[in-house]
Amino acid sequence: MSLLLDTCTFLWLTAEPKRLSRRAREAIDRTATRLYLSDVSVFEVCTKWRSGKLELPTTPRRWFGEQTRMWQTERLSLDVEHYYRESELPALHRDPFDRLLVAQAIERDLSIVTPDPAIRAYPVAVVW
């Protein structure tokens, strides 16, 4: 199974794992599961950290390095197809970060691990 972690899911996984649903935690913990973290999430965390809306124990650069190694996540970079796909999605979700995650999941045939009910409105598999 290949899973794309929503930004909040990755934050909770690293700091507040009890906030994850049992189903999400079981999917993440499976040995054969490949976990992906999008560049979108890195940008979102950096933006919120810089504005003071998110606290981290260290800088985003260091924190992401430590956490992605610990959780063995693979980087999912953005490419032009993701931007095109995002522009073709219906405006069911107002958050541009989440729409880009949906676009990546669709393009890469990944399930998204997220508690966000608005993402379920898109043609993408959701684990929660």
Side-chain angles (χ1 to χ4, degrees), residues 9-29:
T9 301
F10 187 69
L11 290 167
W12 294 346
L13 178 65
T14 65
E16 300 178 82
K18 291 186 187 278
R19 293 187 71 175
L20 300 174
S21 73
R22 185 171 54 98
R23 185 168 176 248
R25 188 62 205 214
E26 288 171 355
I28 289 167
D29 287 343

Side-chain angles (χ1 to χ4, degrees), residues 21-116:
S21 73
R22 185 171 54 98
R23 185 168 176 248
R25 188 62 205 214
E26 288 171 355
I28 289 167
D29 287 343
R30 284 190 195 112
T31 306
T33 298
R34 293 179 71 171
L35 298 177
Y36 291 91
L37 185 68
S38 174
D39 286 352
V40 172
S41 293
V42 174
F43 180 57
E44 181 176 10
V45 166
C46 289
T47 300
K48 290 180 178 180
W49 178 79
R50 184 166 180 87
S51 72
K53 294 179 181 177
L54 177 66
E55 289 186 32
L56 296 174
T58 186
T59 65
R61 180 187 307 270
R62 178 172 285 184
W63 183 80
F64 272 111
E66 293 167 357
Q67 297 303 321
T68 56
R69 278 190 301 278
M70 181 183 303
W71 293 101
Q72 300 177 351
T73 59
E74 298 180 41
R75 179 176 174 230
L76 186 59
S77 60
L78 285 163
D79 64 44
V80 70
E81 290 303 318
H82 301 138
Y83 297 115
Y84 293 146
R85 174 67 70 170
E86 187 279 334
S87 73
E88 297 163 354
L89 292 173
L92 304 173
H93 201 306
R94 296 182 64 185
D95 187 324
F97 298 117
D98 286 331
R99 284 196 312 273
L100 272 170
L101 290 175
V102 168
Q104 283 186 300
I106 291 169
E107 287 294 311
R108 299 287 181 99
D109 195 28
L110 300 170
S111 297
I112 298 180
V113 185
T114 182
D116 189 335

